[in-house]
Amino acid sequence: MKTISVGLIGFGTVGSGLAEVLLSQQERLEQRSGLSIRLAKVADINMTELPPQFSGTVLTNDAANLINDPEIDIVVELIGGIQPAKTFVMDAIAAGKHVVTANKALLSQEGKDIFAAAAASGVEVGFEASVGGGIPVIKSLKEGLVANKILSIMGIMNGTANYILTRMTDEGIDFADVLKDAQELGFAEADPTYDVEGIDTAHKLAILMTMAYGMNITHNDIVTEGISQVEPVDIEFAREFGCRIKLLAISRNHGEHVEARVHPTMVPESHLLASINGAYNAIHFTGDTVGNVLLYGPGAGKMPTGSAVAADVMDIARDISCGSVGRVPSLSYLPKEIQDIPITPMEELSCPWYFRISARDEPGVLAAIAGILSKHGISIESVIQKGRQESGPVSIVISTHIARESSVLAALAEIDILEVVSSPTVKIRMLDETAAAID
Ligand code: HSE
């Protein structure tokens, strides 16, 4: 039986998960490929020995030792971050190795260089684990949905943020308290910035948009707002409007331009994404031929992510064995077809809105607010005002019909300087269910 040798850089959570998957599924992988997939070498600067079950694998502290080993067919990068990960990946490609990575930050920022180098060297780059953990989202987009113009992408792509929002919703507790708890339980990183500020989600959306539309995009092109400002009171009001607050990645394809945004969104409880709870991820595509597709599963974790990395290793091993390397372009589109497509300016976007205005409870306040909204062409859908306070401001909570972002910003700038308004208005975009399919 032909052997395919794998070199793994980084034996952390996902790296050790991959090693365990390759070991526990060895026989099944052989039955499904006719190949022996061997974890030949591991490079990790923090280890002095591997667990005993990996006695057949060589441990090194030097990634170059593995990258330059002529026996290694596939280099798997699982250290994360931009450097030295990019150097290792580029060196591996230059050495003629196929590469597998789960590194969404690297791909969303440096993907252009990496995929150009891979195309020039005639090697494959697998990155299934970079989006949606164990969910086969990359393969679905690249292969299962290949006969579709992708009209929209929408999803919950960060398990940490979804876990925090779920607990805030179920238990009515503050963001900071849930975050602290999540860190103690090991759900959230010591530095949770990327997860809670939407940056990790933007990395993932950039990767999906590149593949869905055949476009150049980095996460820096995506308007990104996180969940750290979401308050329990807004979650409670969302419930009264029949919605849940979720951190969504949203992109709609308008042909000449495409939307790209990550922000907290009020999702109607009737929508499938509203029921995705805890650390789970879900990605919703609309294709012009298939219609709506929802992929759901574990967005992180040692074994689910190990499963996704192993799937990439198998794909490449099969291609090597069949002499069909490059059969499926890494980014779905041929490299020469990937183009620049403008991103829709945020001010041009339209959706229904939620506003929470803090104002004194006096005659004429609601009329003044309604007048400003009306002047900017914003139509009110409903208003909630809780009973009069003894003293201090009350919350006037408004949901609107579809309104343009530029009109909303202009209207709120006027509302927030009213003498009766005591603090900046909280605004949250609501999901426009009619907009999943495009103009
Ligand atoms: N940090 C990510 C999350 C997992 O919380 O979903 C890996 O993508």
Side-chain angles (χ1 to χ4, degrees), residues 113-132:
D113 289 354
I114 292 168
F115 291 107
S121 289
V123 298
E124 294 190 6
V125 179
F127 51 97
E128 182 61 70
S130 65
V131 182

Side-chain angles (χ1 to χ4, degrees), residues 92 167 171 334 380 387 392:
R167 286 201 51 197
E171 299 168 40
L334 296 172
I380 294 173

Side-chain angles (χ1 to χ4, degrees), residues 110-166:
E110 307 290 332
K112 207 172 171 181
D113 289 354
I114 292 168
F115 291 107
S121 289
V123 298
E124 294 190 6
V125 179
F127 51 97
E128 182 61 70
S130 65
V131 182
I135 308 170
V137 58
I138 299 294
K139 199 173 182 73
S140 297
L141 194 50
K142 203 161 52 170
E143 301 190 44
L145 299 175
V146 69
N148 281 264
K149 173 183 178 187
I150 301 299
L151 301 175
S152 70
I153 306 166
M154 210 161 50
I156 293 168
M157 302 185 196
N158 186 275
T160 305
N162 202 49
Y163 172 85
I164 291 173
L165 286 175
T166 301

Side-chain angles (χ1 to χ4, degrees), residues 104 129-130 132-133 157-161 187 189 195 200 204 279 281 299-301:
K104 59 255 171 172
S130 65
M157 302 185 196
N158 186 275
T160 305
F187 279 100
E189 308 265 353
D195 290 328
D200 176 77
K204 294 165 177 170
N281 282 193

